[in-house]
Amino acid sequence: MRSLIDILELSVEEIDELISLAEDIIAHPEKYRDSCRYKKLATLFFEPSTRTRLSFEAAMYELGGNVLSMASAGSSSAAKGESVADTAKTVSCYADIIAMRHPKEGAPMVAAMNASIPVINAGDGGHNHPTQTLADLLTIWREKGRFTGLTIGLCGDLKFGRTVHSLISALARYNGNKFVLISPVELKLPSYVKKDVLQKNQISYTQTTDLEAALPELDILYMTRVQRERFFNEEDYLRLKDSYILTPEKLNKAKKDLAILHPLPRVNEISVGVDADPRAVYFKQVLNGKYMRMALILKLLEVEV
Ligand code: CP
């Protein structure tokens, strides 16, 4: 039995297999309609979510399965002090697979160590968000047709943005990629990611505060919001929240085949005027997330179609 806590638990070959499976689901959805019949997914979300939770639930329904979920973290027995470990043991009695989001880094790992069913990390604090990375990878694959030789700009809150940490880990395994890390000084990529992922693997990267100067060389621009919920004081958040606002005018300097991604939700960092630009693929990315979560559920439940 396998869980997914960190994107690096999937080999490059397994990522390829998941992408092929997702492409087949997109092309032949009817083949998969009953593949999880009588199976139940429990969504345990201790933090707000729109995309991750609903796409997991939609994924399970489209595979013919069912969903168990809590109305909110406050309505579960966690509010009475129940531990993550006990919650995982309990939910294992009712469901076949768990998707868990938690504000504490490592909580889904604790759940996986105590559950008797697979646990998927649906975002843990400022740490990791592996299924968002699966959505990002399918989007990059569909837009660019490769994971190699790309110049990838990551812009915004690189300190607390867990999707950025997972995506860098995933793309650092492919040859010839170069990262341009664009952030305010206070929100730079944590040194543990730089040291353990970029420097360890001798990956080329630069750091800058200047989005406009970086734009012309990028093949992919991955925008992120400033993560208000991770700040210790509101004053710092207010000062930094509008550090970057991507507009149609700024995009005049970008490549014609740039792909603009964003894990969403967006606050101000991409003006709605950008949405009509064919290079803006963040809503395609949302849909890709559902297909990759369908593929992942099939893999972890070891369902043969
Ligand atoms: N990208 C993402 O995790 O969105 P939600 O917080 O809405 O799930």
Side-chain angles (χ1 to χ4, degrees):
M1 183 195 78
R2 269 180 86 178
S3 290
L4 180 67
I5 304 303
D6 187 307
I7 193 69
L8 293 181
E9 291 163 17
L10 294 170
S11 67
V12 167
E13 292 72 27
E14 285 176 313
I15 299 268
D16 288 347
E17 283 164 19
L18 285 172
I19 286 177
S20 298
L21 183 53
E23 295 274 23
D24 197 56
I25 293 168
I26 293 166
H28 308 287
E30 68 289 347
K31 253 170 72 180
Y32 297 89
R33 234 168 244 159
D34 283 324
S35 47
C36 284
R37 211 167 167 204
Y38 307 123
K39 301 277 186 200
K40 284 170 278 176
L41 163 78
T43 49
L44 307 182
F45 277 59
F46 296 91
E47 262 194 347
S49 168
T50 296
R51 275 146 294 274
T52 312
R53 179 171 174 160
L54 294 184
S55 67
F56 262 118
E57 296 184 356
M60 196 50 161
Y61 284 126
E62 288 185 31
L63 293 169
N66 285 297
V67 174
L68 305 175
S69 66
M70 316 177 308
S72 67
S75 67
S76 80
S77 285
K80 302 176 203 162
E82 185 165 51
S83 67
V84 167
D86 285 359
T87 301
K89 284 179 190 161
T90 301
V91 175
S92 299
C93 300
Y94 308 139
D96 299 283
I97 187 164
I98 292 171
M100 175 183 276
R101 171 169 290 186
H102 204 287
K104 281 198 185 139
E105 299 174 0
M109 191 171 77
V110 173
M113 288 161 65
N114 288 279
S116 54
I117 58 176
V119 175
I120 302 171
N121 179 4
D124 61 330
H127 192 217
N128 274 316
H129 193 347
T131 63
Q132 179 62 49
T133 304
L134 293 177
D136 303 342
L137 290 175
L138 180 58
T139 307
I140 293 169
W141 183 255
R142 298 198 106 200
E143 298 304 316
K144 293 281 166 201
R146 68 186 200 277
F147 293 132
T148 55
L150 295 167
T151 300
I152 304 134
L154 299 134
C155 178
D157 185 347
L158 307 189
K159 180 179 180 184
F160 296 118
R162 57 193 172 198
T163 64
V164 166
H165 307 161
S166 292
L167 183 60
I168 289 176
S169 295
L171 288 175
R173 296 192 291 186
Y174 298 90
N175 290 333
N177 289 329
K178 182 180 156 195
F179 294 94
V180 183
L181 308 173
I182 310 155
S183 73
V185 173
E186 295 93 328
L187 299 177
K188 276 164 103 175
L189 192 72
S191 47
Y192 80 87
V193 183
K194 272 184 266 182
K195 226 167 75 189
D196 298 347
V197 182
L198 296 175
Q199 290 160 9
K200 190 172 159 195
N201 296 298
Q202 296 171 318
I203 309 290
S204 168
Y205 73 94
T206 54
Q207 295 188 96
T208 177
T209 55
D210 191 341
L211 170 61
E212 283 179 78
L215 256 177
E217 65 167 321
L218 303 181
D219 299 307
I220 292 168
L221 172 59
Y222 193 90
M223 294 295 292
T224 62
R225 93 190 145 90
V226 174
Q227 307 264 309
R228 180 181 209 155
E229 63 275 31
R230 315 260 177 247
F231 274 75
F232 292 112
N233 69 73
E234 184 75 357
E235 215 171 87
D236 285 347
Y237 168 73
L238 293 174
R239 184 168 50 81
L240 294 169
K241 74 183 173 72
D242 292 329
S243 299
Y244 302 101
I245 301 178
L246 188 66
T247 59
E249 296 68 44
K250 286 180 190 160
L251 280 170
N252 288 336
K253 296 181 188 154
K255 287 185 181 173
K256 296 282 172 248
D257 64 346
L258 172 73
I260 307 163
L261 280 73
H262 191 312
L264 305 180
R266 142 176 75 183
V267 186
N268 277 332
E269 57 282 354
I270 301 181
S271 93
V272 288
V274 174
D275 296 0
D277 189 310
R279 293 171 289 186
V281 294
Y282 28 89
F283 288 107
K284 288 186 191 173
Q285 198 180 345
V286 170
L287 185 57
N288 290 336
K290 181 185 73 174
Y291 293 123
M292 284 305 261
R293 290 179 177 111
M294 288 172 81
L296 181 66
I297 290 169
L298 290 172
K299 179 178 177 64
L300 296 184
L301 288 179
E302 299 176 9
V303 175
E304 295 288 338
V305 178

